Amino acid sequence: MSRAIKLDDEDNVAVAVDEIGAGEQVNVSLKGQAELEPVEAAEEIPFGHKVALEEIAKSERIKKYGEVIGNATKDIGIGDHVHVQNLESNRGRGDRAKS
């Protein structure tokens, strides 16, 4: 059973559909269908939060839903929890001018 879902082929994160403990193997499915390679959680991943499926370098784009949702504020390893501590969102920001 999948514990995380990759929502689009191009995503580099998956969404946890269960609480995931550090060191646990995370079964990931693509859009709830095809099973992908499992990932070992490097740290606790709360329900609904993101887990990195690949190495993401500082300043690299983070993709969810097939869309860029922000940039990494530091290097992120496979299995890391991706959230406000290492992701600068580019959505819903009132501090940036609209272009």
Side-chain angles (χ1 to χ4, degrees):
M1 181 172 169
S2 297
R3 309 230 10 240
I5 298 173
K6 182 177 177 181
L7 300 168
D8 187 88
D9 289 330
E10 295 188 23
D11 292 355
N12 53 7
V13 297
V15 179
V17 295
D18 194 6
E19 297 284 329
I20 299 168
E24 288 186 46
Q25 286 294 313
V26 181
N27 292 326
V28 179
S29 65
L30 175 60
K31 300 177 189 173
Q33 310 256 335
E35 289 289 322
L36 305 174
E37 288 292 316
V39 172
E40 183 176 325
E43 54 195 315
E44 185 174 302
I45 313 291
F47 168 78
H49 286 225
K50 296 169 290 301
V51 58
L53 299 177
E54 57 189 58
E55 299 283 332
I56 304 170
K58 181 179 179 181
S59 299
E60 189 175 336
R61 294 175 172 178
I62 296 174
K63 291 188 90 174
K64 179 179 171 188
Y65 318 109
E67 300 286 332
V68 175
I69 62 167
N71 295 77
T73 58
K74 61 183 181 178
D75 291 343
I76 300 171
I78 296 171
D80 283 352
H81 177 209
V82 179
H83 199 54
V84 296
Q85 78 281 2
N86 55 14
L87 163 67
E88 179 183 51
S89 177
N90 62 3
R91 299 204 176 252
R93 293 194 53 163
D95 63 332
R96 293 197 176 167
K98 293 183 181 183
S99 49

XYZ file of all heavy atoms in Angstrom:
748
model
N 0.843 -1.195 0.000
C 0.000 0.000 0.000
C 0.880 1.246 0.000
O 1.849 1.340 0.735
C -0.895 -0.015 1.232
C -1.809 1.154 1.306
S -2.975 0.909 2.650
C -3.658 2.517 2.705
N 0.528 2.201 -0.833
C 1.302 3.433 -0.940
C 1.118 4.303 0.293
O 0.015 4.443 0.807
C 0.880 4.219 -2.177
O 1.164 3.482 -3.324
N 2.232 4.895 0.730
C 2.197 5.813 1.868
C 2.391 7.244 1.410
O 2.289 8.174 2.196
C 3.278 5.432 2.870
C 3.193 3.971 3.217
C 3.191 3.510 4.609
N 3.058 4.391 5.687
C 3.980 4.519 6.634
N 5.104 3.842 6.588
N 3.774 5.315 7.648
N 2.708 7.401 0.095
C 2.876 8.732 -0.488
C 2.485 8.662 -1.955
O 2.620 7.618 -2.591
C 4.313 9.213 -0.336
N 2.001 9.790 -2.471
C 1.561 9.849 -3.858
C 2.326 10.939 -4.601
O 2.386 12.085 -4.147
C 0.053 10.133 -3.958
C -0.740 9.013 -3.288
C -0.387 10.290 -5.407
C -2.224 9.280 -3.192
N 2.898 10.552 -5.731
C 3.514 11.493 -6.661
C 2.391 11.895 -7.604
O 1.795 11.058 -8.279
C 4.662 10.810 -7.402
C 5.395 11.699 -8.361
C 6.564 10.952 -8.986
C 7.272 11.809 -10.008
N 8.393 11.091 -10.644
N 2.072 13.188 -7.637
C 0.886 13.651 -8.338
C 1.077 13.860 -9.837
O 0.104 13.905 -10.583
C 0.384 14.943 -7.695
C 0.021 14.781 -6.210
C -0.183 16.128 -5.558
C -1.194 13.902 -6.053
N 2.332 13.993 -10.292
C 2.614 14.197 -11.708
C 3.966 13.568 -12.024
O 4.856 13.537 -11.166
C 2.640 15.693 -12.027
C 2.758 15.975 -13.510
O 1.711 16.056 -14.173
O 3.895 16.099 -14.008
N 4.141 13.084 -13.245
C 5.399 12.461 -13.654
C 6.622 13.331 -13.378
O 7.688 12.819 -13.081
C 5.381 12.145 -15.160
C 4.459 11.001 -15.502
O 4.274 10.105 -14.665
O 3.921 11.013 -16.621
N 6.480 14.644 -13.512
C 7.622 15.548 -13.382
C 7.906 15.995 -11.955
O 8.897 16.680 -11.708
C 7.416 16.758 -14.281
C 7.401 16.387 -15.757
C 7.388 17.599 -16.654
O 7.811 18.683 -16.225
O 6.955 17.441 -17.802
N 7.061 15.634 -10.997
C 7.264 16.057 -9.607
C 8.543 15.472 -9.026
O 8.911 14.341 -9.332
C 6.084 15.622 -8.739
C 4.797 16.347 -9.076
O 4.814 17.266 -9.918
O 3.762 15.974 -8.497
N 9.184 16.239 -8.151
C 10.343 15.716 -7.421
C 10.030 15.520 -5.941
O 10.906 15.261 -5.134
C 11.593 16.578 -7.632
C 11.396 18.046 -7.327
O 10.358 18.463 -6.819
N 12.393 18.848 -7.659
N 8.748 15.647 -5.594
C 8.259 15.352 -4.249
C 6.989 14.513 -4.355
O 6.334 14.502 -5.389
C 7.965 16.642 -3.439
C 9.222 17.461 -3.218
C 6.876 17.479 -4.092
N 6.661 13.841 -3.263
C 5.394 13.112 -3.150
C 4.713 13.562 -1.871
O 5.369 14.059 -0.947
C 5.638 11.605 -3.118
N 3.412 13.383 -1.796
C 2.622 13.791 -0.638
C 2.351 12.576 0.244
O 1.848 11.555 -0.230
C 1.290 14.427 -1.092
C 0.448 14.822 0.118
C 1.546 15.620 -1.986
N 2.678 12.703 1.529
C 2.437 11.617 2.488
C 0.944 11.482 2.751
O 0.274 12.460 3.060
C 3.174 11.894 3.795
N 0.424 10.268 2.616
C -0.989 10.009 2.896
C -1.150 9.298 4.238
O -2.213 8.782 4.551
C -1.657 9.211 1.755
C -1.675 10.036 0.481
C -0.981 7.879 1.524
N -0.077 9.318 5.008
C -0.022 8.669 6.313
C 1.128 9.311 7.076
O 2.032 9.889 6.467
C 0.261 7.170 6.092
C 0.026 6.313 7.306
O -0.469 6.824 8.328
O 0.339 5.113 7.236
N 1.107 9.231 8.389
C 2.263 9.665 9.173
C 3.408 8.713 8.859
O 3.216 7.489 8.854
C 1.957 9.609 10.673
C 0.849 10.541 11.118
C 1.297 11.989 11.203
O 2.473 12.249 11.500
O 0.457 12.870 10.950
N 4.595 9.251 8.600
C 5.746 8.422 8.258
C 6.868 8.708 9.250
O 7.223 9.871 9.472
C 6.215 8.712 6.814
C 5.084 8.397 5.824
C 7.476 7.930 6.494
C 5.327 8.904 4.420
N 7.403 7.665 9.843
C 8.482 7.812 10.810
C 9.846 7.810 10.145
O 10.025 7.255 9.058
N 10.815 8.415 10.806
C 12.190 8.430 10.304
C 12.689 6.998 10.136
O 12.462 6.142 10.987
C 13.091 9.190 11.260
N 13.333 6.720 9.006
C 13.885 5.400 8.733
C 12.907 4.424 8.100
O 13.306 3.351 7.671
N 11.640 4.787 8.029
C 10.644 3.890 7.425
C 10.748 3.904 5.905
O 11.051 4.934 5.301
C 9.226 4.314 7.808
C 8.864 4.034 9.242
C 7.406 4.330 9.522
O 6.535 3.920 8.715
O 7.140 4.984 10.536
N 10.467 2.760 5.295
C 10.378 2.674 3.843
C 9.030 3.252 3.423
O 8.000 2.903 3.992
C 10.490 1.221 3.372
C 11.881 0.661 3.448
C 12.838 1.355 2.481
O 12.532 1.557 1.319
N 14.007 1.716 2.988
N 9.062 4.136 2.446
C 7.850 4.786 1.974
C 7.525 4.244 0.589
O 8.272 4.466 -0.363
C 8.037 6.320 1.900
C 6.754 6.991 1.432
C 8.489 6.872 3.247
N 6.440 3.513 0.480
C 5.962 3.072 -0.825
C 5.269 4.249 -1.483
O 4.395 4.884 -0.886
C 4.998 1.897 -0.694
C 5.686 0.656 -0.204
O 6.848 0.421 -0.524
N 4.996 -0.138 0.581
N 5.698 4.562 -2.705
C 5.186 5.717 -3.434
C 4.472 5.230 -4.684
O 4.958 4.340 -5.378
C 6.352 6.655 -3.839
C 5.841 7.861 -4.613
C 7.140 7.104 -2.614
N 3.317 5.833 -4.968
C 2.636 5.522 -6.221
C 2.511 6.798 -7.031
O 2.521 7.903 -6.499
C 1.257 4.911 -5.964
O 0.404 5.838 -5.347
N 2.413 6.627 -8.331
C 2.197 7.747 -9.232
C 0.696 7.915 -9.405
O 0.017 7.003 -9.904
C 2.868 7.493 -10.580
C 2.631 8.540 -11.666
C 3.135 9.914 -11.227
C 3.300 8.131 -12.958
N 0.174 9.041 -8.941
C -1.260 9.352 -9.036
C -2.119 8.241 -8.440
O -3.215 7.960 -8.917
C -1.663 9.607 -10.482
C -0.929 10.753 -11.128
C -1.320 10.894 -12.577
C -0.426 11.896 -13.272
N -0.657 11.947 -14.711
N -1.615 7.572 -7.417
C -2.386 6.526 -6.756
C -2.477 5.240 -7.541
O -3.225 4.355 -7.174
N -1.708 5.100 -8.620
C -1.815 3.933 -9.494
C -0.512 3.134 -9.500
O -0.325 2.279 -8.671
C -2.175 4.384 -10.910
C -3.344 5.321 -10.973
C -4.611 4.673 -11.440
O -4.587 3.686 -12.138
N -5.739 5.217 -11.036
N 0.380 3.445 -10.427
C 1.618 2.682 -10.611
C 2.569 2.865 -9.429
O 2.812 3.982 -8.982
C 2.309 3.126 -11.903
N 3.064 1.748 -8.918
C 4.023 1.797 -7.813
C 5.393 2.218 -8.330
O 5.844 1.760 -9.380
C 4.135 0.422 -7.146
C 2.916 0.043 -6.341
C 2.754 0.847 -5.058
O 3.749 1.153 -4.386
O 1.602 1.167 -4.731
N 6.055 3.087 -7.594
C 7.391 3.553 -7.920
C 8.390 2.951 -6.936
O 8.010 2.234 -6.013
C 7.436 5.082 -7.856
C 6.403 5.811 -8.722
C 6.451 7.305 -8.459
C 6.648 5.526 -10.191
N 9.653 3.268 -7.118
C 10.673 2.796 -6.185
C 10.387 3.338 -4.789
O 10.075 4.524 -4.641
C 12.061 3.279 -6.625
C 12.591 2.593 -7.852
C 12.920 1.133 -7.606
O 13.524 0.812 -6.567
O 12.540 0.311 -8.462
N 10.498 2.504 -3.750
C 10.302 3.024 -2.394
C 11.432 3.970 -2.005
O 12.533 3.909 -2.561
C 10.304 1.770 -1.516
C 10.860 0.686 -2.345
C 10.757 1.080 -3.771
N 11.147 4.849 -1.076
C 12.104 5.830 -0.567
C 12.188 5.646 0.934
O 11.168 5.422 1.593
C 11.617 7.266 -0.896
C 12.473 8.316 -0.235
C 11.558 7.479 -2.396
N 13.381 5.744 1.489
C 13.524 5.686 2.950
C 13.395 7.094 3.506
O 14.111 8.011 3.090
C 14.877 5.104 3.350
C 15.007 4.981 4.856
C 16.290 4.310 5.290
O 16.758 3.398 4.587
O 16.821 4.709 6.347
N 12.471 7.276 4.444
C 12.277 8.590 5.062
C 13.491 8.930 5.921
O 13.850 8.169 6.821
C 11.013 8.596 5.909
N 14.103 10.050 5.646
C 15.270 10.492 6.398
C 14.867 11.093 7.742
O 15.684 11.184 8.661
C 16.059 11.516 5.585
N 13.617 11.493 7.829
C 13.092 12.100 9.053
C 11.584 11.896 9.073
O 11.016 11.379 8.115
C 13.451 13.588 9.098
C 13.013 14.365 7.863
C 13.690 15.724 7.757
O 13.762 16.437 8.765
O 14.142 16.057 6.652
N 10.945 12.285 10.148
C 9.499 12.143 10.244
C 8.820 13.028 9.196
O 9.208 14.181 9.012
C 9.036 12.555 11.643
C 7.581 12.328 11.892
C 7.199 12.624 13.327
O 7.776 12.006 14.225
O 6.328 13.495 13.511
N 7.815 12.471 8.522
C 7.034 13.208 7.528
C 5.578 13.208 7.993
O 4.938 12.158 8.020
C 7.104 12.561 6.120
C 8.526 12.192 5.709
C 6.410 13.457 5.092
C 9.458 13.321 5.440
N 5.046 14.358 8.391
C 3.645 14.398 8.818
C 2.684 14.134 7.658
O 3.007 14.391 6.497
C 3.472 15.829 9.333
C 4.848 16.321 9.622
C 5.722 15.638 8.604
N 1.500 13.658 7.998
C 0.434 13.447 7.022
C 0.214 14.733 6.221
O 0.137 15.826 6.776
C -0.863 13.060 7.746
C -2.082 13.108 6.867
C -2.338 12.089 5.971
C -2.955 14.181 6.922
C -3.456 12.125 5.147
C -4.078 14.232 6.108
C -4.321 13.196 5.218
N 0.130 14.604 4.893
C -0.142 15.748 4.034
C 1.075 16.558 3.640
O 0.965 17.464 2.823
N 2.226 16.242 4.226
C 3.444 16.982 3.895
C 4.193 16.272 2.769
O 3.852 15.166 2.375
C 4.337 17.124 5.130
C 3.819 18.131 6.114
N 4.619 19.064 6.717
C 2.570 18.356 6.586
C 3.899 19.820 7.527
N 2.647 19.399 7.467
N 5.235 16.919 2.284
C 5.971 16.409 1.127
C 7.243 15.681 1.540
O 7.906 16.073 2.491
C 6.334 17.572 0.195
C 5.109 18.262 -0.401
C 5.440 19.544 -1.102
C 5.866 20.679 -0.199
N 4.912 21.101 0.820
N 7.591 14.648 0.769
C 8.832 13.910 0.933
C 9.588 14.009 -0.398
O 8.989 13.872 -1.469
C 8.586 12.437 1.346
C 7.729 11.697 0.356
C 9.894 11.721 1.593
N 10.897 14.282 -0.314
C 11.714 14.414 -1.524
C 11.950 13.052 -2.159
O 12.321 12.094 -1.483
C 13.048 15.071 -1.190
N 11.753 12.973 -3.467
C 11.956 11.737 -4.207
C 13.312 11.693 -4.894
O 13.706 10.650 -5.418
C 10.855 11.560 -5.249
C 9.442 11.463 -4.698
C 8.443 11.371 -5.843
C 9.316 10.286 -3.752
N 14.002 12.818 -4.910
C 15.329 12.909 -5.516
C 16.114 13.999 -4.803
O 15.549 14.763 -4.027
C 15.212 13.213 -7.010
C 14.456 14.474 -7.323
C 14.146 14.653 -8.804
O 13.484 13.765 -9.377
O 14.565 15.674 -9.375
N 17.405 14.039 -5.062
C 18.240 15.104 -4.513
C 17.781 16.426 -5.130
O 17.582 16.516 -6.345
C 19.715 14.874 -4.857
C 20.284 13.579 -4.308
C 20.591 13.637 -2.827
O 20.888 14.739 -2.309
O 20.529 12.584 -2.175
N 17.618 17.440 -4.292
C 17.209 18.760 -4.760
C 18.242 19.749 -4.228
O 18.370 19.910 -3.007
C 15.793 19.133 -4.266
C 14.770 18.072 -4.694
C 15.394 20.513 -4.778
C 13.397 18.227 -4.049
N 18.969 20.377 -5.110
C 20.020 21.315 -4.712
C 19.429 22.655 -4.286
O 18.335 23.034 -4.719
C 20.989 21.527 -5.865
N 20.158 23.357 -3.437
C 19.750 24.696 -3.012
C 19.435 25.535 -4.250
O 20.160 25.481 -5.239
C 20.857 25.357 -2.200
C 20.494 26.733 -1.694
C 21.601 27.335 -0.879
C 21.184 28.723 -0.411
N 22.238 29.352 0.376
N 18.340 26.257 -4.213
C 17.835 27.131 -5.274
C 17.141 26.379 -6.409
O 16.537 26.999 -7.279
C 18.934 28.030 -5.863
O 19.462 28.857 -4.852
N 17.206 25.053 -6.403
C 16.532 24.277 -7.442
C 15.025 24.345 -7.230
O 14.529 24.465 -6.107
C 16.998 22.821 -7.401
C 16.528 21.996 -8.573
C 17.118 20.594 -8.567
O 18.183 20.380 -7.978
O 16.475 19.708 -9.149
N 14.296 24.219 -8.318
C 12.835 24.261 -8.265
C 12.258 22.984 -7.675
O 12.736 21.895 -7.949
C 12.281 24.462 -9.669
C 12.631 25.799 -10.248
C 12.173 25.908 -11.651
N 12.362 27.281 -12.097
C 12.086 27.689 -13.300
N 11.626 26.846 -14.202
N 12.287 28.947 -13.635
N 11.204 23.157 -6.904
C 10.473 22.026 -6.339
C 9.150 21.937 -7.084
O 8.426 22.931 -7.209
C 10.274 22.198 -4.823
C 11.648 22.190 -4.141
C 9.352 21.116 -4.270
C 11.636 22.488 -2.671
N 8.869 20.735 -7.609
C 7.672 20.542 -8.423
C 6.681 19.610 -7.731
O 7.047 18.541 -7.264
C 8.040 19.971 -9.790
C 8.798 20.975 -10.654
C 8.978 20.478 -12.042
C 7.801 20.929 -12.869
N 7.955 20.614 -14.290
N 5.428 20.060 -7.700
C 4.296 19.294 -7.187
C 3.125 19.630 -8.103
O 3.019 20.769 -8.552
C 4.009 19.717 -5.741
C 2.840 19.011 -5.096
C 2.676 19.509 -3.655
C 1.408 19.002 -3.054
N 1.152 19.634 -1.746
N 2.257 18.686 -8.390
C 1.141 18.861 -9.331
C 1.641 19.110 -10.753
O 0.896 19.628 -11.586
C 0.222 20.043 -8.975
C -0.144 20.247 -7.548
C 0.380 21.317 -6.836
C -1.030 19.387 -6.902
C 0.031 21.536 -5.517
C -1.384 19.596 -5.584
C -0.854 20.675 -4.898
O -1.194 20.899 -3.593
N 2.926 18.841 -11.035
C 3.499 19.143 -12.334
C 3.839 20.615 -12.494
O 4.188 21.066 -13.568
N 3.763 21.360 -11.410
C 4.019 22.806 -11.408
C 5.122 23.130 -10.402
O 5.271 22.455 -9.384
C 2.756 23.568 -10.981
C 1.559 23.358 -11.861
C 1.679 24.076 -13.187
O 2.367 25.119 -13.236
O 1.086 23.597 -14.167
N 5.864 24.182 -10.671
C 6.862 24.659 -9.722
C 6.112 25.344 -8.586
O 5.332 26.267 -8.817
C 7.851 25.638 -10.388
C 8.809 26.217 -9.352
C 8.616 24.941 -11.504
N 6.343 24.871 -7.357
C 5.669 25.472 -6.198
C 6.618 26.337 -5.380
O 6.191 27.043 -4.476
C 5.013 24.406 -5.293
C 6.056 23.449 -4.724
C 3.901 23.689 -6.039
C 5.545 22.581 -3.587
N 7.924 26.253 -5.680
C 8.893 27.057 -4.950
C 10.302 26.586 -5.240
O 10.530 25.794 -6.160
N 11.229 27.090 -4.430
C 12.641 26.758 -4.584
C 13.212 26.285 -3.258
O 12.798 26.752 -2.191
C 13.415 27.973 -5.071
C 12.987 28.396 -6.455
O 11.938 29.009 -6.617
N 13.757 28.052 -7.452
N 14.178 25.383 -3.350
C 14.846 24.873 -2.155
C 15.718 25.969 -1.546
O 16.459 26.641 -2.254
C 15.695 23.657 -2.512
N 15.620 26.160 -0.243
C 16.449 27.148 0.444
C 17.759 26.546 0.926
O 18.631 27.263 1.397
C 15.709 27.769 1.644
O 15.330 26.723 2.546
C 14.473 28.533 1.178
N 17.878 25.216 0.814
C 19.110 24.501 1.123
C 19.057 23.163 0.405
O 18.015 22.787 -0.142
C 19.281 24.312 2.625
C 18.188 23.505 3.305
C 18.426 23.441 4.795
C 17.361 22.629 5.490
N 17.625 22.526 6.923
N 20.166 22.456 0.373
C 20.178 21.141 -0.260
C 19.205 20.215 0.470
O 19.145 20.211 1.703
C 21.578 20.533 -0.226
C 22.563 21.258 -1.135
O 22.128 22.020 -2.025
O 23.772 21.051 -0.956
N 18.466 19.434 -0.303
C 17.472 18.507 0.235
C 17.833 17.122 -0.279
O 18.037 16.933 -1.474
C 16.051 18.894 -0.224
C 15.690 20.308 0.257
C 15.029 17.866 0.259
C 14.395 20.853 -0.332
N 17.908 16.156 0.618
C 18.242 14.787 0.240
C 17.007 13.951 -0.017
O 15.888 14.299 0.386
N 17.209 12.820 -0.679
C 16.124 11.877 -0.911
C 15.557 11.438 0.433
O 16.308 11.102 1.347
C 16.623 10.662 -1.708
C 17.090 11.093 -3.099
C 15.536 9.584 -1.818
C 17.800 10.012 -3.877
N 14.250 11.470 0.566
C 13.597 11.057 1.801
C 13.433 12.162 2.827
O 12.817 11.960 3.870
N 13.953 13.361 2.536
C 13.807 14.481 3.472
C 12.391 15.040 3.454
O 11.692 14.993 2.425
C 14.772 15.618 3.124
C 16.203 15.359 3.545
O 16.459 14.363 4.258
O 17.074 16.159 3.161
N 12.003 15.602 4.577
C 10.734 16.308 4.721
C 10.886 17.649 3.996
O 11.797 18.410 4.287
C 10.468 16.511 6.216
C 9.244 17.280 6.547
N 9.156 18.033 7.690
C 8.045 17.420 5.921
C 7.960 18.596 7.760
N 7.269 18.236 6.688
N 10.014 17.936 3.045
C 10.060 19.192 2.298
C 8.906 20.055 2.787
O 7.735 19.698 2.631
C 9.959 18.944 0.770
C 9.978 20.264 0.014
C 11.087 18.033 0.310
N 9.261 21.176 3.413
C 8.246 22.067 3.981
C 8.885 23.439 4.172
O 9.910 23.736 3.566
C 7.718 21.464 5.292
C 6.400 22.005 5.743
N 5.273 22.010 4.949
C 6.022 22.581 6.913
C 4.257 22.547 5.621
N 4.697 22.906 6.805
N 8.330 24.267 5.025
C 8.786 25.651 5.187
C 10.246 25.776 5.638
O 10.871 26.806 5.423
C 7.874 26.442 6.153
C 6.474 26.560 5.574
C 7.858 25.823 7.528
N 10.808 24.729 6.240
C 12.190 24.797 6.724
C 13.206 24.702 5.582
O 14.372 25.031 5.779
C 12.465 23.709 7.781
C 12.697 22.319 7.239
C 11.440 21.568 6.847
O 10.335 22.075 6.939
N 11.609 20.334 6.402
N 12.774 24.279 4.394
C 13.714 24.140 3.284
C 13.095 24.483 1.920
O 13.660 24.175 0.894
C 14.323 22.734 3.251
C 13.286 21.633 3.207
O 12.115 21.860 2.953
N 13.724 20.417 3.465
N 11.940 25.131 1.945
C 11.215 25.489 0.721
C 10.728 26.920 0.823
O 10.064 27.289 1.796
C 10.012 24.554 0.537
C 8.909 24.982 -0.429
C 9.407 24.996 -1.861
C 7.703 24.066 -0.303
N 11.076 27.734 -0.169
C 10.520 29.072 -0.268
C 9.443 29.017 -1.344
O 9.743 28.766 -2.515
C 11.589 30.095 -0.647
C 11.007 31.494 -0.782
C 12.028 32.515 -1.215
O 12.726 32.281 -2.223
O 12.134 33.548 -0.530
N 8.213 29.213 -0.928
C 7.083 29.132 -1.853
C 7.085 30.324 -2.802
O 7.474 31.426 -2.428
C 5.777 29.117 -1.066
O 4.686 29.099 -1.949
N 6.657 30.089 -4.015
C 6.474 31.203 -4.948
C 5.000 31.384 -5.271
O 4.642 32.060 -6.204
C 7.309 31.015 -6.226
C 6.924 29.789 -7.010
O 6.002 29.069 -6.673
N 7.656 29.521 -8.078
N 4.141 30.779 -4.465
C 2.694 30.891 -4.645
C 2.083 31.592 -3.445
O 2.472 31.379 -2.309
C 2.073 29.510 -4.780
C 2.616 28.786 -5.980
C 1.637 27.746 -6.446
N 2.151 27.144 -7.655
C 1.617 27.370 -8.849
N 0.577 28.144 -8.970
N 2.128 26.794 -9.905
N 1.132 32.441 -3.698
C 0.415 33.106 -2.608
C 1.259 34.075 -1.827
O 0.976 34.372 -0.675
N 2.317 34.601 -2.438
C 3.200 35.525 -1.742
C 2.733 36.961 -1.991
O 2.622 37.372 -3.130
C 4.626 35.359 -2.211
C 5.176 33.993 -1.790
C 6.622 33.955 -1.945
N 7.251 35.059 -1.251
C 8.534 35.089 -0.954
N 9.302 34.106 -1.261
N 9.047 36.134 -0.344
N 2.513 37.686 -0.943
C 2.115 39.080 -1.085
C 3.287 40.034 -1.136
O 3.130 41.220 -1.382
N 4.502 39.514 -0.920
C 5.676 40.378 -0.864
C 6.357 40.535 -2.222
O 7.327 41.258 -2.342
C 6.684 39.860 0.153
C 7.250 38.487 -0.208
O 6.559 37.725 -0.886
O 8.381 38.204 0.217
N 5.865 39.885 -3.244
C 6.474 39.986 -4.572
C 5.508 40.678 -5.531
O 4.305 40.417 -5.509
C 6.807 38.593 -5.109
C 7.897 37.952 -4.307
C 8.481 36.825 -5.052
N 9.613 36.283 -4.293
C 10.181 35.151 -4.559
N 9.761 34.406 -5.545
N 11.208 34.739 -3.845
N 6.075 41.541 -6.356
C 5.266 42.244 -7.344
C 4.740 41.248 -8.377
O 5.431 40.319 -8.759
C 6.100 43.312 -8.036
N 3.526 41.460 -8.814
C 2.954 40.600 -9.850
C 3.526 41.002 -11.192
O 3.680 42.182 -11.485
C 1.431 40.722 -9.849
C 0.825 40.151 -8.597
C -0.672 40.213 -8.626
C -1.186 39.646 -7.325
N -2.600 39.593 -7.260
N 3.820 40.001 -12.012
C 4.373 40.328 -13.332
C 3.420 39.965 -14.431
O 2.473 39.297 -14.297
C 5.699 39.610 -13.544
O 5.602 38.252 -13.243
